[in-house]
Amino acid sequence: MPWISWLITVFWIVIVTVAINFIDGLDGLAAGISAIACGVIAVIAADNRSRCSLFRALALLGSLTGFLFFNFNPAKIFMGDCGACSSASQSR
C-alpha cells in the first residue's frame, strides 16, 4: 500500500506548516525554531555526506538568520501568512 506513505507525507507537511504558523505570535520565535531545525538538518546531512541536503539546509539557515536580524524585538519585519512584509505596510 504505497499510497499510505504519500498520504502520511502530505499530512506531515501540512501539520508542520500549521505548527510554524501558530508559533509566529512572538518576534523571532518561528524563524528561530526553523533556524535551529535547519542547523540540525545540516549537521545530519554533513554526517551522512548528503551534499544536496546540506546545501539546501545551509541556504535556508542563512536566509532565516538574515531574517532574524530584523525580526527580533522590536521587530522591523514580520513573517506574516504570505512571507515577510514590512511593519510600515502592516501599520496602515
Short mmCIF file of all heavy atoms in Angstrom, two decimals, residues 12-87:
data_model
loop_
_atom_site.label_atom_id
_atom_site.label_comp_id
_atom_site.label_asym_id
_atom_site.label_seq_id
_atom_site.Cartn_x
_atom_site.Cartn_y
_atom_site.Cartn_z
N TRP A 12 1.91 15.15 7.15
CA TRP A 12 3.02 15.64 7.98
C TRP A 12 3.44 17.05 7.53
O TRP A 12 3.66 17.92 8.38
CB TRP A 12 4.19 14.67 7.89
CG TRP A 12 5.36 15.13 8.70
CD1 TRP A 12 6.52 15.67 8.24
CD2 TRP A 12 5.48 15.10 10.12
NE1 TRP A 12 7.35 15.98 9.27
CE2 TRP A 12 6.73 15.64 10.45
CE3 TRP A 12 4.65 14.66 11.14
CZ2 TRP A 12 7.17 15.76 11.75
CZ3 TRP A 12 5.10 14.80 12.43
CH2 TRP A 12 6.35 15.33 12.74
N ILE A 13 3.55 17.29 6.25
CA ILE A 13 3.94 18.61 5.75
C ILE A 13 2.91 19.67 6.14
O ILE A 13 3.26 20.77 6.57
CB ILE A 13 4.16 18.57 4.22
CG1 ILE A 13 5.41 17.75 3.91
CG2 ILE A 13 4.28 19.97 3.64
CD1 ILE A 13 5.61 17.47 2.44
N VAL A 14 1.64 19.34 6.03
CA VAL A 14 0.57 20.28 6.41
C VAL A 14 0.63 20.56 7.91
O VAL A 14 0.52 21.72 8.34
CB VAL A 14 -0.81 19.74 5.98
CG1 VAL A 14 -1.93 20.55 6.60
CG2 VAL A 14 -0.93 19.73 4.47
N ILE A 15 0.81 19.54 8.72
CA ILE A 15 0.85 19.71 10.17
C ILE A 15 2.05 20.58 10.58
O ILE A 15 1.91 21.48 11.43
CB ILE A 15 0.90 18.35 10.88
CG1 ILE A 15 -0.42 17.61 10.70
CG2 ILE A 15 1.25 18.48 12.35
CD1 ILE A 15 -1.61 18.33 11.31
N VAL A 16 3.21 20.35 10.01
CA VAL A 16 4.39 21.16 10.36
C VAL A 16 4.19 22.61 9.92
O VAL A 16 4.54 23.54 10.65
CB VAL A 16 5.66 20.54 9.75
CG1 VAL A 16 6.84 21.47 9.87
CG2 VAL A 16 5.97 19.21 10.42
N THR A 17 3.61 22.82 8.75
CA THR A 17 3.36 24.18 8.27
C THR A 17 2.39 24.91 9.18
O THR A 17 2.61 26.08 9.54
CB THR A 17 2.79 24.13 6.83
OG1 THR A 17 3.70 23.42 6.00
CG2 THR A 17 2.57 25.52 6.29
N VAL A 18 1.34 24.26 9.60
CA VAL A 18 0.37 24.88 10.51
C VAL A 18 1.00 25.14 11.88
O VAL A 18 0.75 26.19 12.50
CB VAL A 18 -0.90 24.00 10.63
CG1 VAL A 18 -1.80 24.46 11.75
CG2 VAL A 18 -1.64 23.97 9.32
N ALA A 19 1.85 24.25 12.35
CA ALA A 19 2.50 24.44 13.64
C ALA A 19 3.42 25.66 13.61
O ALA A 19 3.43 26.47 14.56
CB ALA A 19 3.29 23.19 14.02
N ILE A 20 4.18 25.83 12.55
CA ILE A 20 5.05 27.00 12.43
C ILE A 20 4.21 28.26 12.34
O ILE A 20 4.55 29.31 12.90
CB ILE A 20 5.99 26.87 11.21
CG1 ILE A 20 6.98 25.73 11.42
CG2 ILE A 20 6.73 28.16 10.94
CD1 ILE A 20 7.94 25.94 12.56
N ASN A 21 3.08 28.20 11.67
CA ASN A 21 2.19 29.36 11.57
C ASN A 21 1.61 29.72 12.94
O ASN A 21 1.47 30.91 13.25
CB ASN A 21 1.06 29.07 10.58
CG ASN A 21 0.33 30.32 10.17
OD1 ASN A 21 0.84 31.42 10.30
ND2 ASN A 21 -0.87 30.15 9.66
N PHE A 22 1.31 28.75 13.78
CA PHE A 22 0.76 29.01 15.10
C PHE A 22 1.78 29.65 16.04
O PHE A 22 1.41 30.45 16.90
CB PHE A 22 0.22 27.74 15.74
CG PHE A 22 -1.15 27.35 15.26
CD1 PHE A 22 -1.53 26.02 15.25
CD2 PHE A 22 -2.05 28.29 14.83
CE1 PHE A 22 -2.79 25.65 14.82
CE2 PHE A 22 -3.32 27.93 14.39
CZ PHE A 22 -3.69 26.60 14.40
N ILE A 23 3.06 29.30 15.92
CA ILE A 23 4.06 29.83 16.84
C ILE A 23 4.64 31.15 16.37
O ILE A 23 5.58 31.66 16.97
CB ILE A 23 5.20 28.82 17.10
CG1 ILE A 23 5.99 28.55 15.84
CG2 ILE A 23 4.68 27.56 17.72
CD1 ILE A 23 7.25 27.75 16.08
N ASP A 24 4.06 31.75 15.34
CA ASP A 24 4.58 33.01 14.81
C ASP A 24 4.04 34.21 15.58
O ASP A 24 4.09 35.32 15.10
CB ASP A 24 4.21 33.12 13.32
CG ASP A 24 4.96 34.24 12.63
OD1 ASP A 24 6.07 34.56 13.09
OD2 ASP A 24 4.44 34.80 11.66
N GLY A 25 3.55 34.04 16.79
CA GLY A 25 3.00 35.15 17.55
C GLY A 25 4.05 36.02 18.21
O GLY A 25 3.83 37.20 18.44
N LEU A 26 5.20 35.50 18.54
CA LEU A 26 6.26 36.26 19.18
C LEU A 26 7.34 36.61 18.18
O LEU A 26 7.59 35.87 17.22
CB LEU A 26 6.88 35.45 20.32
CG LEU A 26 5.95 35.08 21.46
CD1 LEU A 26 6.65 34.16 22.43
CD2 LEU A 26 5.46 36.31 22.17
N ASP A 27 8.00 37.74 18.41
CA ASP A 27 9.07 38.18 17.50
C ASP A 27 10.22 37.18 17.51
O ASP A 27 10.82 36.92 18.55
CB ASP A 27 9.58 39.56 17.90
CG ASP A 27 8.55 40.64 17.72
OD1 ASP A 27 7.61 40.40 16.95
OD2 ASP A 27 8.69 41.71 18.34
N GLY A 28 10.52 36.64 16.37
CA GLY A 28 11.67 35.76 16.21
C GLY A 28 11.46 34.31 16.58
O GLY A 28 12.38 33.50 16.40
N LEU A 29 10.30 33.93 17.09
CA LEU A 29 10.12 32.56 17.56
C LEU A 29 10.05 31.55 16.42
O LEU A 29 10.78 30.55 16.42
CB LEU A 29 8.86 32.46 18.42
CG LEU A 29 8.59 31.09 19.03
CD1 LEU A 29 9.72 30.71 19.98
CD2 LEU A 29 7.27 31.08 19.76
N ALA A 30 9.21 31.80 15.43
CA ALA A 30 9.06 30.85 14.33
C ALA A 30 10.35 30.74 13.52
O ALA A 30 10.79 29.64 13.17
CB ALA A 30 7.90 31.24 13.43
N ALA A 31 10.95 31.88 13.22
CA ALA A 31 12.19 31.86 12.44
C ALA A 31 13.33 31.24 13.25
O ALA A 31 14.19 30.55 12.70
CB ALA A 31 12.55 33.26 11.98
N GLY A 32 13.36 31.49 14.55
CA GLY A 32 14.40 30.91 15.39
C GLY A 32 14.30 29.40 15.49
O GLY A 32 15.30 28.69 15.38
N ILE A 33 13.09 28.89 15.68
CA ILE A 33 12.90 27.44 15.74
C ILE A 33 13.21 26.81 14.39
O ILE A 33 13.83 25.75 14.32
CB ILE A 33 11.48 27.11 16.21
CG1 ILE A 33 11.33 27.47 17.68
CG2 ILE A 33 11.14 25.65 15.98
CD1 ILE A 33 9.94 27.32 18.23
N SER A 34 12.81 27.47 13.31
CA SER A 34 13.11 26.95 11.97
C SER A 34 14.61 26.97 11.70
O SER A 34 15.15 26.04 11.07
CB SER A 34 12.38 27.77 10.91
OG SER A 34 10.99 27.69 11.10
N ALA A 35 15.31 28.00 12.19
CA ALA A 35 16.76 28.06 12.01
C ALA A 35 17.45 26.95 12.79
O ALA A 35 18.41 26.33 12.29
CB ALA A 35 17.29 29.43 12.44
N ILE A 36 16.98 26.68 13.99
CA ILE A 36 17.56 25.58 14.78
C ILE A 36 17.33 24.25 14.06
O ILE A 36 18.24 23.41 13.97
CB ILE A 36 16.96 25.57 16.19
CG1 ILE A 36 17.44 26.78 16.97
CG2 ILE A 36 17.31 24.28 16.93
CD1 ILE A 36 16.71 27.00 18.29
N ALA A 37 16.13 24.05 13.53
CA ALA A 37 15.83 22.81 12.80
C ALA A 37 16.72 22.68 11.56
O ALA A 37 17.22 21.60 11.26
CB ALA A 37 14.37 22.77 12.41
N CYS A 38 16.93 23.79 10.84
CA CYS A 38 17.81 23.75 9.66
C CYS A 38 19.25 23.45 10.05
O CYS A 38 19.96 22.75 9.32
CB CYS A 38 17.72 25.06 8.90
SG CYS A 38 16.22 25.23 7.97
N GLY A 39 19.69 23.98 11.19
CA GLY A 39 21.04 23.67 11.66
C GLY A 39 21.20 22.20 11.99
O GLY A 39 22.22 21.58 11.65
N VAL A 40 20.20 21.61 12.61
CA VAL A 40 20.24 20.18 12.93
C VAL A 40 20.23 19.35 11.65
O VAL A 40 21.00 18.39 11.51
CB VAL A 40 19.06 19.79 13.85
CG1 VAL A 40 18.94 18.30 14.00
CG2 VAL A 40 19.21 20.45 15.21
N ILE A 41 19.39 19.73 10.69
CA ILE A 41 19.35 19.02 9.41
C ILE A 41 20.69 19.14 8.69
O ILE A 41 21.17 18.17 8.08
CB ILE A 41 18.19 19.54 8.54
CG1 ILE A 41 16.86 19.12 9.16
CG2 ILE A 41 18.29 19.04 7.11
CD1 ILE A 41 15.65 19.75 8.52
N ALA A 42 21.33 20.31 8.77
CA ALA A 42 22.64 20.49 8.12
C ALA A 42 23.70 19.60 8.76
O ALA A 42 24.52 19.01 8.06
CB ALA A 42 23.05 21.96 8.20
N VAL A 43 23.68 19.48 10.08
CA VAL A 43 24.65 18.62 10.76
C VAL A 43 24.43 17.16 10.37
O VAL A 43 25.39 16.42 10.08
CB VAL A 43 24.57 18.81 12.29
CG1 VAL A 43 25.34 17.74 13.03
CG2 VAL A 43 25.06 20.19 12.68
N ILE A 44 23.18 16.73 10.36
CA ILE A 44 22.88 15.34 9.98
C ILE A 44 23.25 15.09 8.52
O ILE A 44 23.81 14.04 8.19
CB ILE A 44 21.39 15.03 10.24
CG1 ILE A 44 21.11 15.02 11.75
CG2 ILE A 44 20.99 13.70 9.62
CD1 ILE A 44 19.65 14.96 12.11
N ALA A 45 22.97 16.05 7.64
CA ALA A 45 23.32 15.89 6.22
C ALA A 45 24.83 15.84 6.04
O ALA A 45 25.34 15.08 5.20
CB ALA A 45 22.71 17.02 5.40
N ALA A 46 25.57 16.64 6.80
CA ALA A 46 27.03 16.60 6.71
C ALA A 46 27.57 15.27 7.20
O ALA A 46 28.52 14.71 6.63
CB ALA A 46 27.64 17.75 7.51
N ASP A 47 26.97 14.73 8.26
CA ASP A 47 27.39 13.44 8.78
C ASP A 47 27.11 12.31 7.79
O ASP A 47 27.89 11.36 7.69
CB ASP A 47 26.68 13.17 10.11
CG ASP A 47 27.20 11.93 10.80
OD1 ASP A 47 28.44 11.76 10.85
OD2 ASP A 47 26.37 11.14 11.29
N ASN A 48 26.00 12.43 7.05
CA ASN A 48 25.64 11.41 6.06
C ASN A 48 26.26 11.66 4.68
O ASN A 48 25.99 10.91 3.76
CB ASN A 48 24.12 11.33 5.92
CG ASN A 48 23.47 10.73 7.14
OD1 ASN A 48 24.09 9.97 7.87
ND2 ASN A 48 22.23 11.10 7.37
N ARG A 49 27.02 12.75 4.56
CA ARG A 49 27.67 13.15 3.29
C ARG A 49 26.64 13.36 2.17
O ARG A 49 26.85 12.96 1.03
CB ARG A 49 28.71 12.13 2.89
CG ARG A 49 29.88 12.08 3.83
CD ARG A 49 30.98 11.18 3.30
NE ARG A 49 32.15 11.26 4.14
CZ ARG A 49 32.48 10.36 5.03
NH1 ARG A 49 31.70 9.32 5.22
NH2 ARG A 49 33.57 10.51 5.75
N SER A 50 25.53 13.97 2.53
CA SER A 50 24.49 14.30 1.57
C SER A 50 24.63 15.78 1.20
O SER A 50 24.11 16.66 1.88
CB SER A 50 23.11 14.01 2.17
OG SER A 50 22.10 14.42 1.29
N ARG A 51 25.35 16.04 0.12
CA ARG A 51 25.67 17.42 -0.25
C ARG A 51 24.44 18.24 -0.60
O ARG A 51 24.34 19.40 -0.22
CB ARG A 51 26.63 17.44 -1.43
CG ARG A 51 28.04 17.17 -1.05
CD ARG A 51 28.92 17.58 -2.20
NE ARG A 51 29.98 16.61 -2.36
CZ ARG A 51 30.80 16.57 -3.37
NH1 ARG A 51 30.64 17.42 -4.35
NH2 ARG A 51 31.74 15.69 -3.43
N CYS A 52 23.52 17.66 -1.34
CA CYS A 52 22.33 18.41 -1.76
C CYS A 52 21.51 18.86 -0.55
O CYS A 52 21.14 20.04 -0.46
CB CYS A 52 21.49 17.55 -2.70
SG CYS A 52 20.07 18.39 -3.39
N SER A 53 21.27 17.96 0.38
CA SER A 53 20.53 18.32 1.58
C SER A 53 21.30 19.32 2.44
O SER A 53 20.72 20.23 3.03
CB SER A 53 20.21 17.08 2.41
OG SER A 53 19.38 16.22 1.70
N LEU A 54 22.61 19.16 2.49
CA LEU A 54 23.45 20.07 3.27
C LEU A 54 23.37 21.48 2.71
O LEU A 54 23.16 22.45 3.46
CB LEU A 54 24.90 19.58 3.29
CG LEU A 54 25.91 20.51 3.96
CD1 LEU A 54 25.61 20.66 5.44
CD2 LEU A 54 27.32 19.99 3.73
N PHE A 55 23.52 21.64 1.40
CA PHE A 55 23.49 22.97 0.79
C PHE A 55 22.11 23.62 0.92
O PHE A 55 22.00 24.82 1.15
CB PHE A 55 23.92 22.92 -0.67
CG PHE A 55 25.39 22.61 -0.84
CD1 PHE A 55 25.80 21.82 -1.88
CD2 PHE A 55 26.33 23.09 0.05
CE1 PHE A 55 27.15 21.53 -2.04
CE2 PHE A 55 27.67 22.80 -0.09
CZ PHE A 55 28.09 22.02 -1.14
N ARG A 56 21.06 22.83 0.78
CA ARG A 56 19.72 23.38 0.94
C ARG A 56 19.47 23.83 2.38
O ARG A 56 18.90 24.89 2.62
CB ARG A 56 18.67 22.35 0.53
CG ARG A 56 18.60 22.13 -0.94
CD ARG A 56 17.56 21.11 -1.29
NE ARG A 56 17.56 20.88 -2.74
CZ ARG A 56 16.79 20.02 -3.34
NH1 ARG A 56 15.94 19.31 -2.64
NH2 ARG A 56 16.85 19.87 -4.64
N ALA A 57 19.88 23.03 3.34
CA ALA A 57 19.70 23.39 4.74
C ALA A 57 20.52 24.62 5.10
O ALA A 57 20.05 25.51 5.82
CB ALA A 57 20.07 22.22 5.65
N LEU A 58 21.74 24.71 4.59
CA LEU A 58 22.57 25.88 4.87
C LEU A 58 22.04 27.13 4.20
O LEU A 58 22.12 28.23 4.77
CB LEU A 58 24.02 25.61 4.45
CG LEU A 58 24.78 24.62 5.32
CD1 LEU A 58 26.18 24.39 4.77
CD2 LEU A 58 24.84 25.10 6.76
N ALA A 59 21.49 27.00 3.00
CA ALA A 59 20.90 28.16 2.32
C ALA A 59 19.69 28.67 3.10
O ALA A 59 19.53 29.89 3.31
CB ALA A 59 20.50 27.79 0.90
N LEU A 60 18.83 27.77 3.55
CA LEU A 60 17.67 28.18 4.34
C LEU A 60 18.09 28.73 5.70
O LEU A 60 17.53 29.72 6.18
CB LEU A 60 16.71 27.01 4.51
CG LEU A 60 15.39 27.31 5.20
CD1 LEU A 60 14.63 28.41 4.46
CD2 LEU A 60 14.55 26.06 5.28
N LEU A 61 19.12 28.14 6.30
CA LEU A 61 19.63 28.64 7.57
C LEU A 61 20.18 30.05 7.41
O LEU A 61 19.93 30.93 8.25
CB LEU A 61 20.72 27.70 8.11
CG LEU A 61 21.39 28.12 9.41
CD1 LEU A 61 20.38 28.17 10.54
CD2 LEU A 61 22.51 27.16 9.74
N GLY A 62 20.87 30.32 6.33
CA GLY A 62 21.39 31.67 6.08
C GLY A 62 20.29 32.69 5.87
O GLY A 62 20.36 33.80 6.40
N SER A 63 19.27 32.31 5.12
CA SER A 63 18.17 33.25 4.90
C SER A 63 17.38 33.49 6.18
O SER A 63 16.94 34.62 6.46
CB SER A 63 17.25 32.75 3.79
OG SER A 63 16.62 31.56 4.16
N LEU A 64 17.19 32.47 6.99
CA LEU A 64 16.49 32.65 8.27
C LEU A 64 17.32 33.49 9.23
O LEU A 64 16.76 34.31 9.98
CB LEU A 64 16.18 31.29 8.90
CG LEU A 64 15.05 30.51 8.24
CD1 LEU A 64 15.02 29.08 8.77
CD2 LEU A 64 13.72 31.19 8.46
N THR A 65 18.62 33.32 9.23
CA THR A 65 19.48 34.13 10.10
C THR A 65 19.43 35.60 9.69
O THR A 65 19.36 36.48 10.56
CB THR A 65 20.92 33.60 10.05
OG1 THR A 65 20.91 32.21 10.41
CG2 THR A 65 21.81 34.35 11.01
N GLY A 66 19.46 35.86 8.39
CA GLY A 66 19.31 37.23 7.92
C GLY A 66 17.96 37.82 8.26
O GLY A 66 17.85 39.01 8.59
N PHE A 67 16.92 37.02 8.20
CA PHE A 67 15.58 37.47 8.56
C PHE A 67 15.48 37.74 10.05
O PHE A 67 14.84 38.69 10.49
CB PHE A 67 14.55 36.44 8.12
CG PHE A 67 13.14 36.76 8.54
CD1 PHE A 67 12.43 37.77 7.92
CD2 PHE A 67 12.55 36.06 9.57
CE1 PHE A 67 11.14 38.07 8.31
CE2 PHE A 67 11.26 36.35 9.97
CZ PHE A 67 10.55 37.36 9.33
N LEU A 68 16.12 36.89 10.87
CA LEU A 68 16.05 37.05 12.32
C LEU A 68 16.67 38.36 12.79
O LEU A 68 16.25 38.92 13.80
CB LEU A 68 16.77 35.88 13.01
CG LEU A 68 15.93 34.67 13.28
CD1 LEU A 68 16.79 33.53 13.79
CD2 LEU A 68 14.84 34.97 14.26
N PHE A 69 17.66 38.85 12.07
CA PHE A 69 18.30 40.12 12.43
C PHE A 69 17.27 41.25 12.50
O PHE A 69 17.36 42.13 13.35
CB PHE A 69 19.40 40.44 11.42
CG PHE A 69 20.13 41.72 11.71
CD1 PHE A 69 21.02 41.80 12.76
CD2 PHE A 69 19.90 42.84 10.94
CE1 PHE A 69 21.69 42.98 13.04
CE2 PHE A 69 20.56 44.03 11.20
CZ PHE A 69 21.45 44.09 12.25
N PHE A 70 16.28 41.23 11.61
CA PHE A 70 15.26 42.26 11.57
C PHE A 70 13.97 41.85 12.28
O PHE A 70 13.05 42.66 12.38
CB PHE A 70 14.92 42.61 10.12
CG PHE A 70 16.08 43.21 9.38
CD1 PHE A 70 16.81 42.45 8.48
CD2 PHE A 70 16.45 44.52 9.60
CE1 PHE A 70 17.87 43.00 7.81
CE2 PHE A 70 17.51 45.07 8.93
CZ PHE A 70 18.23 44.31 8.04
N ASN A 71 13.88 40.63 12.78
CA ASN A 71 12.64 40.13 13.36
C ASN A 71 12.66 40.08 14.88
O ASN A 71 11.65 39.79 15.49
CB ASN A 71 12.30 38.75 12.78
CG ASN A 71 10.92 38.28 13.14
OD1 ASN A 71 10.77 37.28 13.81
ND2 ASN A 71 9.90 39.00 12.71
N PHE A 72 13.82 40.35 15.51
CA PHE A 72 13.85 40.37 16.97
C PHE A 72 13.17 41.62 17.50
O PHE A 72 12.96 42.59 16.79
CB PHE A 72 15.28 40.28 17.50
CG PHE A 72 15.79 38.88 17.59
CD1 PHE A 72 16.95 38.52 16.95
CD2 PHE A 72 15.13 37.93 18.33
CE1 PHE A 72 17.43 37.24 17.03
CE2 PHE A 72 15.59 36.63 18.42
CZ PHE A 72 16.76 36.29 17.77
N ASN A 73 12.83 41.61 18.78
CA ASN A 73 12.10 42.69 19.41
C ASN A 73 12.94 43.96 19.47
O ASN A 73 14.07 43.91 19.93
CB ASN A 73 11.69 42.26 20.82
CG ASN A 73 10.66 43.16 21.43
OD1 ASN A 73 10.08 43.99 20.77
ND2 ASN A 73 10.46 42.98 22.72
N PRO A 74 12.51 45.09 19.04
CA PRO A 74 11.28 45.40 18.32
C PRO A 74 11.42 45.01 16.85
O PRO A 74 12.37 45.38 16.18
CB PRO A 74 11.12 46.91 18.47
CG PRO A 74 12.52 47.41 18.57
CD PRO A 74 13.30 46.31 19.28
N ALA A 75 10.46 44.26 16.37
CA ALA A 75 10.53 43.72 15.01
C ALA A 75 10.30 44.81 13.97
O ALA A 75 9.40 45.62 14.09
CB ALA A 75 9.50 42.62 14.83
N LYS A 76 11.17 44.81 12.96
CA LYS A 76 11.01 45.72 11.83
C LYS A 76 10.32 45.02 10.66
O LYS A 76 9.74 45.66 9.81
CB LYS A 76 12.37 46.25 11.39
CG LYS A 76 13.07 47.06 12.46
CD LYS A 76 14.45 47.45 11.98
CE LYS A 76 15.24 48.11 13.09
NZ LYS A 76 15.84 47.16 13.99
N ILE A 77 10.43 43.70 10.63
CA ILE A 77 9.82 42.88 9.58
C ILE A 77 9.05 41.76 10.27
O ILE A 77 9.54 41.16 11.23
CB ILE A 77 10.88 42.28 8.64
CG1 ILE A 77 11.63 43.37 7.90
CG2 ILE A 77 10.23 41.35 7.63
CD1 ILE A 77 12.75 42.85 7.03
N PHE A 78 7.86 41.46 9.79
CA PHE A 78 7.05 40.38 10.33
C PHE A 78 6.90 39.29 9.28
O PHE A 78 6.82 39.58 8.09
CB PHE A 78 5.67 40.90 10.75
CG PHE A 78 5.75 41.94 11.81
CD1 PHE A 78 5.65 43.27 11.50
CD2 PHE A 78 5.96 41.58 13.14
CE1 PHE A 78 5.74 44.25 12.47
CE2 PHE A 78 6.04 42.53 14.12
CZ PHE A 78 5.93 43.88 13.78
N MET A 79 6.85 38.05 9.74
CA MET A 79 6.76 36.94 8.80
C MET A 79 5.41 36.92 8.10
O MET A 79 5.34 36.84 6.89
CB MET A 79 7.02 35.62 9.51
CG MET A 79 7.19 34.46 8.57
SD MET A 79 7.62 32.94 9.41
CE MET A 79 9.27 33.28 9.97
N GLY A 80 4.34 36.99 8.82
CA GLY A 80 3.02 37.00 8.22
C GLY A 80 2.63 35.66 7.63
O GLY A 80 3.35 34.68 7.73
N ASP A 81 1.47 35.61 7.01
CA ASP A 81 0.99 34.36 6.42
C ASP A 81 1.52 34.13 5.02
O ASP A 81 1.54 33.01 4.55
CB ASP A 81 -0.54 34.36 6.37
CG ASP A 81 -1.12 34.16 7.76
OD1 ASP A 81 -0.42 33.61 8.60
OD2 ASP A 81 -2.28 34.56 7.96
N CYS A 82 1.91 35.16 4.34
CA CYS A 82 2.35 35.03 2.94
C CYS A 82 3.79 35.44 2.76
O CYS A 82 4.17 35.95 1.70
CB CYS A 82 1.45 35.86 2.03
SG CYS A 82 -0.25 35.34 2.07
N GLY A 83 4.61 35.29 3.76
CA GLY A 83 6.01 35.67 3.65
C GLY A 83 6.27 36.94 4.45
O GLY A 83 5.45 37.39 5.22
N ALA A 84 7.44 37.50 4.25
CA ALA A 84 7.84 38.68 5.01
C ALA A 84 7.15 39.93 4.47
O ALA A 84 7.07 40.15 3.27
CB ALA A 84 9.35 38.85 4.94
N CYS A 85 6.66 40.75 5.37
CA CYS A 85 6.11 42.03 4.99
C CYS A 85 6.58 43.06 6.00
O CYS A 85 6.79 42.75 7.16
CB CYS A 85 4.59 42.00 4.91
SG CYS A 85 3.79 41.33 6.34
N SER A 86 6.80 44.26 5.58
CA SER A 86 7.39 45.27 6.45
C SER A 86 6.37 45.76 7.46
O SER A 86 5.17 45.69 7.25
CB SER A 86 7.93 46.43 5.62
OG SER A 86 6.85 47.13 5.03
N SER A 87 6.86 46.32 8.55
CA SER A 87 5.98 46.83 9.59
C SER A 87 5.25 48.08 9.12
O SER A 87 4.18 48.39 9.62
CB SER A 87 6.78 47.12 10.86
OG SER A 87 7.78 48.09 10.59
#
